[in-house]
Amino acid sequence: MVLDNFYMIVAKIIHINIKYPIMITRKTIENFIQKIPPAPKALKETLIHLNTGNLVKAATVAKEDKALSTYLKVLVNKPIYGFKNEVSEVSQIFGILGVERSLQAVYNYMMTLLSPSKWQLFKLNRIIFYNLQADLSVNWEKILKYLDIQDKDILSSISLLPASIIVSEALFCEKKADIDLLRSVNEIDLNTILQRLCGVDLFDICQQIAQKWEMPQSISDILQSASGLKASKDNEINILGKWMHLLLFYTLSQPKYIEAELNDFIDFQIDYVGDIYEEFSKVMEIS
């Protein structure tokens, strides 16, 4: 009986490989990138004003975009931000957050423009995804304070990390049954599958998204390093990449994200972050 089951699994895998010799092609990736809309005018103007430190003008432009205004209100009133009273006006939100965190919040919103209306690969919804963004953002800020780094682009770099989850959903959701079968036989993460099929990984695609939305190069560089597979020649970028890699897995190890099946969509590179693991644990214990 055991052998019969084994042969059935092998036969299914052979069938998958014949029917879908390449489940995800470069053309699929190109089509995905092409469908990404450019950043709306209001968003671009908001970013310009935030980058020049003009919170008043940034808020004036941002409040014209109702979707952005609603998102900012929902995001900053998450418990993890710690505000005692509800914050509702964009000018108030930007004033409380300051330039750096306001910029990060707007980049977070840009990521939501890519997210699906209904998730299929992961057990996610809008609320859980917003919670994920908030958890990553607040803890990334805690890490940068510990490292004594004050840089608005580096603070904003965390906003692109959830894009890897969105890309996974977009590329693999229609092949969920095949992916589940492959992973039941051989424990392999989605990032590795994509790399073996196409020679690019999820973080390469996220970098293309960042470039399309004209995000600073530093955001792409840190994200690539955070994959744990592509170290940068810049030591500072590598250090940040290690902290971000650990933060991703620390966050996704929480029960609510394990239930969403997010804890194993990319492989944890323990050797890459071994030198800062204990230090990271101590920082996360800081209230």
Side-chain angles (χ1 to χ4, degrees):
M1 179 64 69
V2 174
L3 281 177
D4 288 343
N5 290 338
F6 172 75
Y7 290 137
M8 286 178 65
I9 291 173
V10 171
K12 287 180 179 179
I13 293 174
I14 292 174
H15 172 70
I16 289 172
N17 288 335
I18 293 173
K19 187 177 181 181
Y20 304 111
I22 300 180
M23 291 182 290
I24 306 296
T25 67
R26 283 185 176 268
K27 184 63 177 176
T28 305
I29 295 172
E30 290 173 5
N31 290 339
F32 172 75
I33 297 296
Q34 289 173 2
K35 290 179 181 178
I36 296 171
K41 182 181 178 181
L43 266 179
K44 287 186 176 180
E45 290 184 12
T46 301
L47 291 171
I48 289 171
H49 292 313
L50 287 176
N51 275 304
T52 58
N54 195 325
L55 287 171
V56 175
K57 287 187 177 180
T60 300
V61 176
K63 71 180 181 181
E64 295 176 2
D65 187 324
K66 292 184 178 180
L68 172 58
S69 300
T70 300
Y71 172 82
L72 291 172
K73 179 180 177 180
V74 171
L75 183 70
V76 301
N77 284 294
K78 294 290 183 184
I80 194 169
Y81 275 91
F83 298 136
K84 295 181 179 179
N85 300 315
E86 183 176 296
V87 188
S88 57
E89 296 296 326
V90 175
S91 57
Q92 187 183 18
I93 292 171
F94 281 179
I96 293 173
L97 292 179
V99 172
E100 289 79 9
R101 289 201 293 170
S102 295
L103 188 63
Q104 180 192 68
V106 173
Y107 277 136
N108 273 331
Y109 170 70
M110 292 174 71
M111 290 304 107
T112 67
L113 298 178
L114 295 176
S115 60
S117 57
K118 183 177 181 180
W119 294 79
Q120 299 180 52
L121 184 67
F122 301 114
K123 296 177 181 178
L124 283 172
N125 55 39
R126 180 175 60 87
I127 294 174
I128 298 174
F129 188 74
Y130 285 8
N131 286 337
L132 174 62
Q133 289 182 307
D135 289 343
L136 288 170
S137 296
V138 171
N139 283 324
W140 183 240
E141 183 180 8
K142 181 190 294 186
I143 288 169
L144 295 184
K145 284 183 178 178
Y146 172 78
L147 297 175
D148 195 24
I149 294 176
Q150 297 179 350
D151 184 296
K152 64 180 185 301
D153 292 334
I154 292 176
L155 182 65
S156 297
S157 62
I158 195 68
S159 64
L160 199 57
L161 200 57
S164 59
I165 296 171
I166 295 172
V167 172
S168 295
E169 175 72 24
L171 296 180
F172 291 101
C173 66
E174 294 182 358
K175 306 291 184 181
K176 188 178 187 304
D178 298 336
I179 294 298
D180 289 344
L181 178 59
L182 287 172
R183 297 178 72 188
S184 70
V185 177
N186 183 19
E187 293 185 4
I188 186 170
D189 58 279
L190 299 179
N191 198 45
T192 300
I193 291 174
L194 190 62
Q195 173 67 40
R196 292 180 181 177
L197 290 176
C198 306
V200 297
D201 65 14
L202 298 169
F203 295 92
D204 294 325
I205 301 171
C206 291
Q207 182 176 20
Q208 293 181 56
I209 296 171
Q211 291 170 345
K212 185 162 186 175
W213 280 347
E214 300 177 356
M215 294 180 173
Q217 182 61 40
S218 58
I219 292 182
S220 297
D221 293 342
I222 294 171
L223 187 74
Q224 288 280 23
S225 180
S227 69
L229 301 171
K230 290 165 284 189
S232 170
K233 294 180 180 179
D234 187 315
N235 186 54
E236 182 180 353
I237 294 295
N238 272 340
I239 291 173
L240 292 167
K242 290 181 180 182
W243 282 89
M244 188 178 284
H245 187 79
L246 268 173
L247 176 58
L248 174 64
F249 283 91
Y250 168 82
T251 304
L252 298 187
S253 65
Q254 296 178 27
K256 58 185 175 182
Y257 300 127
I258 293 176
E259 290 177 9
E261 300 181 359
L262 287 173
N263 58 310
D264 59 356
F265 83 103
I266 62 174
D267 194 22
F268 181 37
Q269 304 296 324
I270 184 62
D271 292 338
Y272 181 61
V273 298
D275 58 331
I276 65 164
Y277 184 81
E278 291 187 9
E279 191 178 6
F280 174 88
S281 299
K282 291 178 181 178
V283 172
M284 288 298 102
E285 291 174 359
I286 299 173
S287 59

